[in-house]
Amino acid sequence: MDRIVGIDYGRKRVGVAVSDPLRIFASALETVPSAKIIDYLKKYAEAETIERFVVGYPMNLDNKPSEAAAYVDAFLNLLKKHFPAVPITLEDERFTSVLAHRAMIDGGVKKMDRRDKAAVDKVSAALILQTYLDRKTDN
């Protein structure tokens, strides 16, 4: 079955999440070094069909792109180049790191493990994707 892939892009690391086959739940999948994300996604696409990418887009509180948006824009161009047939949806990623920490606390993750930025990145990707999935099922 087709999967939707959620991405929390950062200059150092990229959090990756994936939907279940029914597109109801998002699950944190992996944290990948930014330089290796395209290769990782190509390998993933060999095993699973990617229906769509949902990429977190950094916005300021005034609804304008933040400074980090330039890095995400460059990544989006790469993603379009390597996966031209896969549509991309941008999802506001404001507060996802805060929400990821809260989800980890609520899930009983120990304090030392919550300091692992890689873990936070993949949980953030899952939150970005879950926001998209929830909106799609509400309609």
Side-chain angles (χ1 to χ4, degrees):
M1 283 215 161
D2 297 351
R3 303 288 182 140
I4 300 173
V5 175
I7 297 174
D8 181 24
Y9 184 82
R11 289 174 61 189
K12 294 180 183 178
R13 292 173 310 278
V14 180
V16 181
V18 64
S19 70
D20 67 307
L22 298 176
R23 295 175 207 94
I24 297 170
F25 299 107
S27 299
L29 187 62
E30 191 71 58
T31 302
V32 181
S34 297
K36 297 181 179 182
I37 186 60
I38 295 298
D39 290 336
Y40 176 85
L41 292 172
K42 284 181 178 179
K43 188 171 183 175
Y44 182 82
E46 290 173 6
E48 300 283 349
T49 302
I50 300 174
E51 175 185 318
R52 171 178 303 278
F53 291 111
V54 177
V55 179
Y57 200 74
M59 304 290 284
N60 289 322
L61 292 176
D62 63 1
N63 286 328
K64 294 182 181 170
S66 73
E67 289 180 27
Y71 301 109
V72 176
D73 289 338
F75 168 69
L76 290 170
N77 288 334
L78 266 180
L79 200 57
K80 289 173 189 172
K81 177 182 173 186
H82 291 280
F83 298 92
V86 180
I88 300 170
T89 300
L90 300 180
E91 191 68 44
D92 186 347
E93 71 168 20
R94 279 181 281 194
F95 310 115
T96 53
S97 293
V98 173
L99 293 171
H101 273 105
R102 173 56 50 201
M104 293 170 80
I105 290 168
D106 292 348
V109 176
K110 294 179 183 168
K111 189 173 186 176
M112 285 301 291
D113 294 334
R114 291 193 310 263
R115 291 184 182 166
D116 178 9
K117 292 182 181 181
V120 173
D121 289 341
K122 65 183 175 182
V123 172
S124 292
L127 289 170
I128 289 165
L129 179 55
Q130 191 64 55
T131 299
Y132 171 82
L133 294 173
D134 289 348
R135 191 173 59 253
K136 286 300 176 189
T137 57
D138 288 344
N139 293 337

